[in-house]
Amino acid sequence: MSEWIGDNIGIIEMAFTGAVVLGLCAWQYWQVRDAGKPPKDE
Amino acid sequence: MIAHPMHLFEALVVLHVIAGATGLIAFWVPIAARKGGPAHRRWGRIGTYAFLAAGTLAIGMALLSLYGPEQRLPVITDRVLFAGLFGWMMLYLGMLTIGFAVYGLAVVRHRANRAALRGPLYQAMFAAVIASALWCGYFGLSIGQPLMAAVALIGLAAVATQQFYVWRQAPPPRAHVPEHFRALLGMGISAYTAFLSVGLIRLVPDHVFNPLIWAIPSIIGVSLIIRFSLGARPTRRQPPQQQEA
């Protein structure tokens, strides 16, 4: 198992990087979208 | 003669754009050309050296943003955020680009002698990337910008896997190949993200926070890396005639 992880560590790193980048973009999307909304009435 | 820091900054920007544009164009030739062939090696070197220059100039601009005169970009009132994004994060991204470029060439140059990558110069470069990433992340969290910490995480993960290859006891044959293109494609992702989000965005400023602009280089780059990685995945069980001496 540890050998498999070692041999595929690059792909694992890329999956992690992709997840972080997509997460960042999703976070940024919600930030900008929420910032453009008018405040809710009480 | 450059006498004023403002002029120095502008000169750095011009040189950075020239070096960056050269790298952005040359970057695609080694991807398209036959791997290991003359065009791959020649244009790969041109692109990598161009990005090395662009990264070094980015560090210079970051230091000027941090320690230069306050009158640069006086419209920016949030000086802490400015120092975070255009100072510490740019410094870290410059270091990361240099680290990717140096490591990407070094794994090929020292493919028969990985011990060379354990030398003080390469290890100092790894340490500089780690230190700049840690500081970028810490600074980002301290000013309420988790984006800076997340970007720092990407660099830390990259250095961790690079160090894993460098210090690993017995890597499979040709393990340097995926290390090579992962580092240099990572360098390209970093450069294209900077180009789209800081350079090209001046033409369409309304899209400065468009997440698609920020995501496109990573989506294309990570897809290419995974595709190449699957194709070049090292196998331990090879016929004797294919194994390295």
Side-chain angles (χ1 to χ4, degrees):
Chain A
M1 180 65 182
S2 61
E3 192 174 88
W4 183 90
I5 292 173
D7 288 350
N8 292 282
I9 198 161
I11 295 173
I12 296 168
E13 183 211 328
M14 281 304 109
F16 169 77
T17 300
V20 170
V21 170
L22 290 178
L24 271 176
C25 290
W27 176 79
Q28 196 176 343
Y29 171 79
W30 293 115
Q31 289 279 313
V32 173
R33 202 191 73 153
D34 292 346
K37 279 184 179 175
K40 285 181 182 175
D41 293 334
E42 291 294 320
Chain B
M1 182 180 170
I2 298 165
H4 195 278
M6 185 76 183
H7 297 156
L8 175 61
F9 190 90
E10 287 163 358
L12 291 182
V13 170
V14 171
L15 293 173
H16 177 78
V17 169
I18 293 170
T22 306
L24 292 174
I25 295 165
F27 171 74
W28 292 103
V29 180
I31 292 176
R34 187 174 63 82
K35 303 298 171 277
H40 176 92
R41 294 158 62 106
R42 178 183 172 81
W43 286 94
R45 277 202 194 93
I46 291 172
T48 307
Y49 291 145
F51 282 142
L52 268 175
T56 306
L57 291 161
I59 291 175
M61 290 188 289
L63 290 173
L64 273 182
S65 294
L66 286 168
Y67 301 111
E70 280 288 306
Q71 59 265 35
R72 198 174 83 70
L73 297 178
V75 289
I76 294 172
T77 51
D78 192 340
R79 305 308 300 184
V80 176
L81 180 64
F82 178 78
L85 294 179
F86 293 96
W88 295 117
M89 195 164 90
M90 187 185 271
L91 190 144
Y92 153 65
L93 290 175
M95 272 309 311
L96 184 64
T97 306
I98 291 171
F100 275 142
V102 171
Y103 178 78
L105 292 184
V107 287
V108 175
R109 187 174 298 137
H110 302 299
R111 61 186 175 277
N113 177 29
R114 270 184 314 126
L117 299 170
R118 299 170 192 157
L121 274 179
Y122 289 119
Q123 291 301 313
M125 182 196 72
F126 286 127
V129 176
I130 292 170
S132 62
L134 287 175
W135 179 250
C136 174
Y138 170 76
F139 193 90
L141 290 176
S142 70
I143 64 170
Q145 291 293 327
L147 183 143
M148 287 175 64
V151 170
L153 264 183
I154 293 173
L156 290 173
V159 174
T161 55
Q162 290 167 356
Q163 286 284 55
F164 180 77
Y165 168 76
V166 170
W167 293 95
R168 197 175 179 189
Q169 285 296 323
R174 299 186 59 74
H176 70 279
V177 176
E179 292 297 313
H180 170 66
F181 61 65
R182 205 167 63 243
L184 295 180
L185 283 171
M187 173 192 75
I189 294 172
S190 164
Y192 265 94
T193 306
F195 169 62
L196 288 180
S197 58
V198 180
L200 194 67
I201 204 68
R202 288 162 201 269
L203 299 178
V204 278
D206 289 347
H207 290 276
V208 67
F209 289 119
N210 186 335
L212 196 60
I213 299 272
W214 290 72
I216 283 173
S218 291
I219 291 170
I220 294 174
V222 168
S223 303
L224 280 172
I225 290 173
I226 290 178
R227 188 189 145 208
F228 287 149
S229 295
L230 291 172
R233 197 157 39 170
T235 51
R236 289 181 178 274
R237 290 178 186 171
Q238 288 186 350
Q241 68 270 18
Q242 289 182 12
Q243 287 186 346
E244 286 185 346

